[in-house]
Amino acid sequence: MSAPTSLQVQAFLDAFSLEVSAKAMPALGAEATRIPRGTTISIPWLASEDDDARLAAARRVRELGFEPMPHLSARRIGSRAVLERFLQRAANEAGVAQCLVIAGDLASPAGPFADSACIIKTGLLETSGIRIVAIGGHPEGHPAMRAEERWQVLEHKCRAIEARGMAPMIITQFAFDAGIVLDWLHALRARGIVVPVLVGVPGPASIARLLRYAAMCGVGASASMLARYGISIGRLLGTAGPEVFMDRMAAGLTEDHGLVSPHFFPFGGIAQSLDWIGHYRAQASAACRSQVIQ
């Protein structure tokens, strides 16, 4: 695959989003001037935080000029009333108009919601002013579902969201193999699912930390997959950035892939991810100028 052009890199990076936990809000505030206004900031649901912390994070994101996207972890929500109260406060206090709905990691639901589809069916999202509903995508597969079942569930959720007057979006788990992601995107569009996709990208971090998060999130991290990402299995010290992954994504995307942009998981810190984004942009621009001069 040929190297991506500066325009390809720019197009892919233009609408990047970030995943930032409630406890990382001070770091987000410190770097806010380096992030375009209106950028989507995804706020994960963490068991160590309560709804007040999540709502405070959403308010802070809005104050900084960004779009808050809180996660709703279906199996962790104790009742319909709890969900309704959270959504109403999110709308009233932080102007939340988009969210990510996920099943969550509990084996048994704490309340009436077994999966994200159950939340969509309640009607509470649209009545609370939610306009964009993101759902999870799994290019590397899902431990509990076969491939055909995954596609059926994804199609069903997108149709259900649209039927309720909202716009669906897909956010994928972060991955190490751009080829797998590109193939998944091709299959997604071939099925007629044309919604925007945010592709999960691990921000630069220590290799040990990347592998730790991969294990926690069920992301494939075999020796061959790491090699395609640019990490040698024999070199597990130091840091790694997503240069190879991003190059292959930017070069491989075509108009047929539709709206696709990176969703950064800043495992090594927000500042480090923003440094990397700026450096990557600058490198692509310099390469383009060099080609013009030659």
Side-chain angles (χ1 to χ4, degrees):
M1 185 177 292
S2 60
T5 66
S6 177
L7 289 178
Q8 285 172 305
V9 170
Q10 188 71 37
F12 187 41
L13 276 174
D14 267 349
F16 77 85
S17 54
L18 288 169
E19 184 139 325
V20 181
S21 67
K23 66 181 180 182
M25 284 300 136
L28 180 69
E31 304 296 335
T33 57
R34 302 171 62 192
I35 304 170
R37 291 183 65 83
T39 294
T40 293
I41 304 297
S42 177
I43 306 167
W45 198 106
L46 300 178
S48 59
E49 298 167 351
D50 59 16
D51 280 352
D52 285 338
R54 297 177 194 112
L55 290 164
R59 291 195 299 271
R60 182 58 175 151
V61 168
R62 175 63 68 194
E63 290 168 0
L64 292 170
F66 309 130
E67 286 293 328
M69 178 188 277
H71 296 193
L72 301 175
S73 183
R75 294 178 187 168
R76 296 272 183 178
I77 298 172
S79 68
R80 179 187 173 98
V82 168
L83 173 62
E84 184 171 20
R85 184 164 57 249
F86 179 86
L87 288 170
Q88 288 177 347
R89 287 188 61 191
N92 294 336
E93 298 174 19
V96 168
Q98 52 186 330
C99 64
L100 169 66
V101 289
I102 57 174
D105 56 0
L106 283 184
S108 299
F113 309 117
D115 53 31
S116 53
C118 291
I119 289 181
I120 295 167
K121 291 176 184 176
T122 64
L124 292 175
L125 298 177
E126 62 266 36
T127 57
S128 299
I130 297 295
R131 297 192 300 272
I132 298 173
V133 180
I135 54 178
H138 303 87
E140 294 182 359
H142 191 288
M145 288 187 284
R146 300 184 308 276
E148 186 57 34
E149 185 181 2
R150 290 198 308 273
W151 288 122
Q152 290 172 358
V153 168
L154 200 60
E155 290 170 343
H156 173 75
K157 288 179 185 177
C158 287
R159 288 196 300 269
I161 292 166
E162 290 173 334
R164 293 181 173 278
M166 299 175 291
M169 175 189 290
I170 297 171
I171 301 180
T172 76
Q173 182 56 277
F174 73 87
F176 291 124
D177 190 329
I180 290 176
V181 176
L182 288 166
D183 289 345
W184 180 85
L185 285 168
H186 178 75
L188 180 80
R189 301 317 189 194
R191 287 178 171 267
I193 304 175
V194 296
V195 306
V197 176
L198 304 183
V199 171
V201 180
S206 73
I207 296 173
R209 177 170 288 186
L210 289 175
L211 294 180
R212 185 164 65 250
Y213 275 107
M216 290 169 54
C217 300
V219 173
S222 65
S224 60
M225 195 171 290
L226 291 173
R228 288 191 287 273
Y229 188 73
I231 297 175
S232 168
I233 196 65
R235 188 183 72 84
L236 297 183
L237 298 177
T239 62
E243 295 86 3
V244 174
F245 180 89
M246 290 287 286
D247 280 351
R248 291 176 177 170
M249 284 298 302
L253 287 171
T254 68
E255 290 185 0
D256 292 339
H257 288 106
L259 292 175
V260 181
S261 54
H263 179 70
F264 285 97
F265 293 81
F267 297 139
I270 295 171
Q272 191 170 348
S273 287
L274 294 175
D275 287 345
W276 184 91
I277 292 170
H279 182 65
Y280 187 69
R281 282 186 194 271
Q283 277 190 322
S285 297
C288 183
R289 288 194 299 269
S290 176
Q291 291 171 358
V292 171
I293 292 172
Q294 293 175 2

